[in-house]
C-alpha cells in the first residue's frame, strides 16, 4: 500500500478513503506511516468533518468510514462480512453520494469484503479498479471482486498511483 501512496502528488484533486481490516482494539499507526511517505495529508477523520481534496482519510479501528454528502461519518454500525470497518459500507455510501465521480479500488486481502460495494460503485456510474490477483500478497479479495464486477482496470500495485493520477487529471485539451 505504501508504493501507490508515494506516487500521488500534493495537488491530487480528489479525496481518498481507506478501509483496512485491523483488530478492533489494536492501536493503528497507519495514518502516521502513510503520512511519512505521502505528499497528501493523512489522518483518521472526525465524525461530521467536511471532505477535502488532497486528504487521505483512514477508517479508525472498529469504526465504519462513510460519506453523507460532503461529510465524513465515523460510526460503529453493525459488522458486515464479519468486519467493522466494512469496505462494502464505505463503497455504498460513496457511490450514493458521488455516483460517476467515484473510483472504487480493491487491493490485497482475505475473504470478500469490498466486492458487493464495488458492484454499487459500478451500478451508479463509478469506475472500478482491482489489483491484479497475481500481484497481490493475498489474492482472495481481488480475485473475488473480479467474479462480481467487470473491472474497468486490473493493475499491479505499482501502476495504481499513476493510474489514479491519470484518471483524476482533467483533460486540458478539451
Amino acid at each position: 500500500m505504501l508504493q501507490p501512496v508515494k506516487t500521488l502528488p500534493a495537488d491530487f484533486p480528489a479525496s481518498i478513503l481507506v478501509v483496512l481490516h485491523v483488530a478492533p482494539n489494536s492501536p493503528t499507526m497507519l495514518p502516521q506511516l502513510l503520512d511519512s511517505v505521502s505528499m497528501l495529508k493523512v489522518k483518521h477523520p472526525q465524525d461530521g468533518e467536511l471532505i477535502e481534496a488532497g486528504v487521505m482519510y483512514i477508517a479508525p479501528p472498529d469504526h465504519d468510514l462513510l460519506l453523507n454528502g460532503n461529510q465524513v461519518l465515523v460510526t460503529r454500525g453493525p459488522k458486515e462480512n464479519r468486519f467493522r470497518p466494512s469496505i462494502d459500507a464505505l463503497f455504498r455510501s460513496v457511490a450514493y453520494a458521488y455516483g460517476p465521480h467515484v473510483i472504487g479500488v480493491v487491493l490485497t486481502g482475505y475473504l470478500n469484503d469490498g466486492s458487493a460495494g464495488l458492484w454499487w460503485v459500478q451500478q451508479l456510474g463509478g469506475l472500478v479498479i482491482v489489483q491484479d490477483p497475481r500481484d497481490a500478497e493475498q489474492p482472495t479479495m481481488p480475485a473475488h471482486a473480479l467474479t462480481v464486477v467487470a473491472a474497468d482496470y486490473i493493475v499491479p500495485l505499482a501502476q495504481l498511483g499513476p493510474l489514479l493520477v491519470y484518471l483524476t487529471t482533467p483533460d486540458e485539451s478539451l
Side-chain angles (χ1 to χ4, degrees):
M1 178 159 186
L2 294 178
Q3 188 176 26
V5 171
K6 290 178 182 180
T7 64
L8 298 175
D11 62 348
F12 190 71
S15 305
I16 298 176
L17 292 92
V18 176
V19 168
L20 183 69
H21 296 144
V22 294
N25 297 321
S26 68
T28 177
M29 299 299 292
L30 187 59
Q32 295 87 343
L33 176 64
L34 293 178
D35 194 53
S36 71
V37 299
S38 176
M39 290 186 268
L40 304 177
K41 181 177 181 181
V42 182
K43 65 182 194 167
H44 287 303
Q46 296 299 311
D47 186 47
E49 77 177 81
L50 297 179
I51 193 165
E52 296 179 56
V55 178
M56 185 178 304
Y57 301 94
I58 311 294
D62 203 32
H63 288 78
D64 282 317
L65 182 61
L66 309 171
L67 282 187
N68 183 16
N70 63 349
Q71 281 190 310
V72 179
L73 303 179
V74 180
T75 68
R76 282 198 79 238
K79 290 182 179 181
E80 268 188 64
N81 297 321
R82 301 187 308 244
F83 292 107
R84 185 177 44 239
S86 166
I87 302 165
D88 286 330
L90 170 63
F91 283 163
R92 271 194 317 275
S93 74
V94 297
Y96 281 115
Y98 290 96
H101 303 287
V102 173
I103 301 172
V105 180
V106 165
L107 303 176
T108 186
Y110 293 98
L111 301 175
N112 63 358
D113 192 25
S115 297
L118 279 182
W119 184 87
W120 281 107
V121 167
Q122 197 163 59
Q123 292 304 303
L124 295 173
L127 290 175
V128 169
I129 301 173
V130 176
Q131 181 180 8
D132 186 333
R134 296 169 297 186
D135 178 65
E137 186 175 319
Q138 176 39 253
T140 309
M141 274 178 53
H144 189 271
L146 293 173
T147 68
V148 175
V149 296
D152 296 291
Y153 299 92
I154 302 169
V155 297
L157 193 59
Q159 292 178 13
L160 179 60
L163 177 60
L164 289 173
V165 170
Y166 169 76
L167 292 172
T168 58
T169 302
D171 184 356
E172 310 235 352
S173 66
L174 296 177

